Amino acid sequence: EDQVTQSPEALRLQEGESSSLNCSYTVSGLRGLFWYRQDPGKGPEFLFTLYSAGEEKEKERLKATLTKKESFLHITAPKPEDSATYLCAVQAGGNTPLVFGKGTRLSVIA
Amino acid sequence: GAVVSQHPSWVICKSGTSVKIECRSLDFQATTMFWYRQFPKQSLMLMATSNEGSKATYEQGVEKDKFLINHASLTLSTLTVTSAHPEDSSFYICSAKEPSGNTIYFGEGSWLTVV
């Protein structure tokens, strides 16, 4: 059974304090690993898709990396507007639904 | 970029009535769309996979006669909550896969409150 585990469940950072969110996964044939940002009361906003171990992608203060067992979302010098829930999900097949982790709730304090 | 739109954003209905939520892919055609449900401070729970021109595939525990899904065109899927009860109150979200790549986009979500 495909599984995704995210840690920590919640993270509180001071503005400018860099950190990383973890996403561990087990999947039968990874087609893609996805990162989303979700603000309260809104749908998930797409951030990245990673396809193979060793791949990295960056967007502003965010950088996602992938190994064969886990992915990290690195947040460099975060700002209060980065506060959100970050969701990790995997896809095993072409048109199969995503399997989500429970998310990490990030709070960045000014 | 690609956009998935949901309507309405929020709706209040009386117990026993039905309510329809629309999910549209605005920039691309989607043969497959997915419907999720999310309770406060919890992750997304997959309800069903909507396939254009065929019956939806429901997850275990999801009542297909209560949550009717219709994917009549390549850009529109609808979720109808029939005979709604207060326990159906939730945040419903759809997603669609852009066929040219492997990106899956989500709609803005629809808040349903049954009173």
Side-chain angles (χ1 to χ4, degrees):
Chain A
E1 183 183 346
D2 301 335
Q3 284 190 328
V4 177
T5 304
Q6 290 187 247
S7 62
E9 197 172 301
L11 181 62
R12 187 182 173 98
L13 300 173
Q14 291 292 321
E15 184 172 5
E17 180 186 1
S18 301
S19 188
S20 296
L21 312 182
N22 178 265
C23 171
S24 299
Y25 65 91
T26 54
V27 63
S28 53
L30 180 70
R31 171 135 178 132
L33 185 141
F34 297 76
W35 281 100
Y36 291 88
R37 167 192 172 130
Q38 187 176 27
D39 292 301
K42 297 189 177 181
E45 174 191 343
F46 172 76
L47 294 174
F48 306 107
T49 308
L50 301 169
Y51 297 100
S52 58
E55 188 176 2
E56 298 182 353
K57 288 191 176 176
E58 288 188 66
K59 179 181 179 181
E60 295 180 353
R61 295 178 292 281
L62 300 177
K63 178 180 176 180
T65 62
L66 180 66
T67 72
K68 289 185 177 180
K69 295 183 178 180
E70 58 191 349
S71 176
F72 291 94
L73 184 65
H74 307 279
I75 302 177
T76 302
K79 298 182 178 181
E81 52 262 42
D82 295 323
S83 297
T85 295
Y86 290 85
L87 298 168
C88 173
V90 296
Q91 187 184 36
N95 276 330
T96 58
L98 298 179
V99 176
F100 279 91
K102 293 185 177 180
T104 294
R105 293 191 308 278
L106 174 66
S107 299
V108 182
I109 311 302
Chain B
V3 176
V4 174
S5 178
Q6 280 183 243
H7 177 80
S9 298
W10 57 271
V11 58
I12 300 173
C13 70
K14 293 183 177 180
S15 289
T17 63
S18 297
V19 62
K20 180 185 287 187
I21 300 170
E22 295 185 347
C23 177
R24 293 181 185 273
S25 56
L26 301 183
D27 297 333
F28 59 93
Q29 294 182 331
T31 56
T32 304
M33 292 184 177
F34 303 97
W35 286 96
Y36 294 83
R37 179 174 185 175
Q38 188 176 35
F39 292 104
K41 296 189 177 182
Q42 293 188 23
S43 193
L44 285 74
M45 183 187 78
L46 179 68
M47 297 177 66
T49 301
S50 172
N51 303 297
E52 188 269 335
S54 63
K55 292 183 179 180
T57 304
Y58 290 82
E59 295 300 298
Q60 191 172 10
V62 178
E63 299 176 59
K64 61 180 181 180
D65 294 330
K66 180 168 185 62
F67 298 100
L68 300 179
I69 291 173
N70 187 325
H71 195 152
S73 78
L74 287 172
T75 59
L76 174 65
S77 175
T78 61
L79 169 67
T80 301
V81 183
T82 63
S83 186
H85 290 281
E87 57 264 34
D88 298 325
S89 299
S90 188
F91 189 50
Y92 293 88
I93 315 172
C94 70
S95 71
K97 178 183 170 184
E98 185 188 22
S100 63
N102 196 37
T103 302
I104 298 174
Y105 294 97
F106 283 80
E108 311 97 324
S110 299
W111 284 100
L112 170 63
T113 301
V114 184
V115 298

